[in-house]
Amino acid sequence: MLMWLSWMIKEEAYFESTAGVSASFGEMLLLVAMYFHSNQLSAIIDLVCSTLGMKIVIKPSSLSRMKTIFTQEIFTEQVVTAHAVRVPVTSNLSANITGFLPIHCIYQLLRSRAFTKHKVSIKLIPLIDVYINSIITPASKSSPEATNKPITEQEILKVFQGHAGENFRQNQCSKITTQLLLLYYLLSYEEALLANSKTLAAMQRKPKSYSSLLMDQIPIKFLIRQAQGLQQELGGLHSALLRLLATNYPHLCIVDDWICEEEITGTDALLRRMLMTHSAKSHSPKQLQDAFLQLQSNHTQVMQILEHLTLLCASDLIPYAEVLTANMSQLLNVSVARRLLQTVNKLWMTLNTVMPRRLWVMTVNALQPSLKLARSHKYTQNDLMIDPLIVLRCDARVLRCPPLMDITLHMLNGYLLASKAYLNSYLKETADQDIKSSPSNAMAMQGQTETMEVTREELKNALLSAQDSAAVQILLEVCLPSEDKSPEQLEIEDSLLCNLREVQCLICCLLHQMFIADPNIAKLVHFQGYPCQLLPLTVAGIPSMHICLDFIPELIAQPELEKQIFAIQLLSHLCIQYALPKSLSMARLAINVMGTLITVLTQAKRFSFFMPTLPCLVLFCQTFPPLYEDIMSLLIQIGQVCASNVATQTRDVDPIITRLQQLKEKPKELSSAFNLFPLSVSAIKDLESLDPDVQLCHQVESTIIDIINMSVTSV
């Protein structure tokens, strides 16, 4: 029996080649020996039954003699470990291969710590999770140094030499699996380091972490796309990679990108490529660069090349990425055709599906203001993750160029997500600082460490909130009309078919996504406030603005007068957009607050508060007619309070109060007459010279007339 088993092991290569399968017969014997070494007799019985394809009865007691033969004569533990390192790589590895592979043996050896015990050097193996665990977690507390070594960065880079997409078709079967498994190893390893950071800090161990420079050289998004197309062959690897990607690289999991990929890889794109002519394939990056150099005098050549490039698949566009981004600043000139800008936008979005991180860095550097470009200041991936607002420090002309602004907003959204992931990982990586700076007493150390963790977490959340709100405030400022425009240009910007209007729509879409992802950002931004002339735009253009109704009472209750004014103005537009029972109750609250403030505000504050908020009452009445009586009573009350504070101009104000009372009692009869003679000529001339109370009285009268006219018009 010993001779027969030894002969089978020696001739295993012949058996495998004759059978024509990828499964390894020799490794099955090796696996049986491992189970004997770990005394897993039930596993051996299951293995025999599954191999024979029948259920047979085997008593564990009958295996004792065979166990001795396997463990002491043929496969000693040291022989098993040394043999496992020499097993050949399984060619064309996929989930469709049946039988037993070297993978199963390596898995069992890693679990039993045989490699560590016998000091056998190992590198990349297919069973990555167990390998990672053997790197991070020692075999026992008594021997913390008994861990395996991680794969070096040089070994990883050899696998990713060049871009994965350049020779993908030639190396699809042999190389893509290795690259995907290495990517899974890298992502899992970094996640495991973060998850065990506290434990490692307590043990005063710091396993090597891979540099960001290494991760920047790996085409993560491209590999994920290839894994999606090879799900049948890769088993559950694709879904596992997606989970790791969502955790470690959320900026590569933006929903819009997945939707864009479906469009790019769909049937229409396939048909366009089938109709592609030979000339469309012959353009080189140098030809594109030469065409851009002649852009000012000849748009046609650039347009022709770019149109042909739209027919290429995403991976074939990679060589053109640098030329395309480097010349983006030329597209900001006024004379550039809109079609050219839209084509560049389309190509950029296609490239974004295969090389987003590298593309973003190149684009941000290309769109810098001309002063920074002259100084050749280049941002890195790390710079942009630490400070995502760098994206908005671009050439001012980008802010009025919708196709390029669309790209800028896409990058901003991505880097805001990347910054969150970066700070989360940084917090976990530096967890050992809390432990090192804690006192020696165990109880005191635990309590102080927990306090420091909470403080660090709160500081991180505050930084992220400040970062997001700053981005929102800058984008809202972009939505304002330019102050340095001529009257003709301002008139164009007021129309619905203008660049400003399109930019506003793009910004509103991004703000909607941000408010939905984190409603606290919406609350923070509105507590900070922004120009009231943007309220009609934000309320109508951001569908998630209805969540503001939840914190209106809290905003109105703020002690600052400016925030109370902003709250009422915001509420008036929300009532127009969302005529809901909740809006009605909020409007009643606002009217009650205004009635209370009449008697407690000084003259100056009363003027500052009611002049901007009185027009809001017109919108309340327009949305909720049942509020008419309450609002009219409030307006009369405001007029009476103002009139009572006027001493020298009583004779000028008394007729106004009388008219207000008459307008309330007989609105229809007097409103038409007032439209003909709203104010006397002398009153109009002296309006600016009157004191605040008199001006407020005129504003009250104007508000009442607006309410009456609105109600008459609606009837």
Side-chain angles (χ1 to χ4, degrees), residues 365 368-379:
N365 286 319
Q368 290 183 68
S370 54
L371 183 62
K372 287 187 178 180
L373 282 174
R375 291 185 301 187
S376 299
H377 180 78
K378 298 292 184 183
Y379 292 110

Side-chain angles (χ1 to χ4, degrees), residues 63-79:
L63 299 176
S64 56
R65 177 60 181 152
M66 194 174 291
K67 177 181 178 181
T68 304
I69 294 173
F70 268 86
T71 58
Q72 297 181 14
E73 301 290 340
I74 303 175
F75 289 107
T76 63
E77 192 174 49
Q78 193 163 2
V79 170

Side-chain angles (χ1 to χ4, degrees), residues 88-140:
V89 175
T90 305
S91 60
N92 300 322
L93 180 63
S94 75
N96 299 326
I97 297 179
T98 58
F100 293 92
L101 308 170
I103 290 177
H104 298 93
C105 303
I106 305 299
Y107 173 79
Q108 185 61 31
L109 286 170
L110 280 169
R111 287 189 61 186
S112 61
R113 303 281 178 170
F115 289 118
T116 305
K117 183 177 178 181
H118 297 286
K119 299 188 180 336
V120 176
S121 176
I122 56 171
K123 291 296 179 184
L124 179 62
I125 51 172
L127 249 13
I128 297 166
D129 288 331
V130 184
Y131 173 48
I132 290 171
N133 186 51
S134 69
I135 296 172
I136 296 174
T137 310
S140 63

Side-chain angles (χ1 to χ4, degrees), residues 37 174 235 269 339 532 607 630 707:
H37 275 287
S174 59
R339 184 181 174 187
C532 60
F607 178 81
D630 293 340
I707 292 173

Side-chain angles (χ1 to χ4, degrees), residues 614-655:
L614 284 179
C616 300
L617 298 176
V618 180
L619 299 180
F620 289 152
C621 263
Q622 179 181 344
T623 310
F624 304 115
L627 296 177
Y628 175 82
E629 288 294 332
D630 293 340
I631 289 175
M632 292 300 288
S633 299
L634 173 65
L635 290 170
I636 296 297
Q637 185 183 0
I638 295 170
Q640 289 173 340
V641 170
C642 293
S644 65
N645 285 281
V646 177
T648 59
Q649 294 153 335
T650 305
R651 55 189 178 83
D652 295 329
V653 177
D654 280 344

Side-chain angles (χ1 to χ4, degrees), residues 123-124 131 149-158 182 185-186 208 210 214:
K123 291 296 179 184
L124 179 62
Y131 173 48
K149 301 297 181 184
I151 307 167
T152 65
E153 292 192 2
Q154 291 74 20
E155 290 170 327
I156 294 172
L157 284 174
K158 284 180 183 177
L182 257 182
Y185 161 77
L186 287 168
K208 173 183 170 58
Y210 292 105
L214 170 68

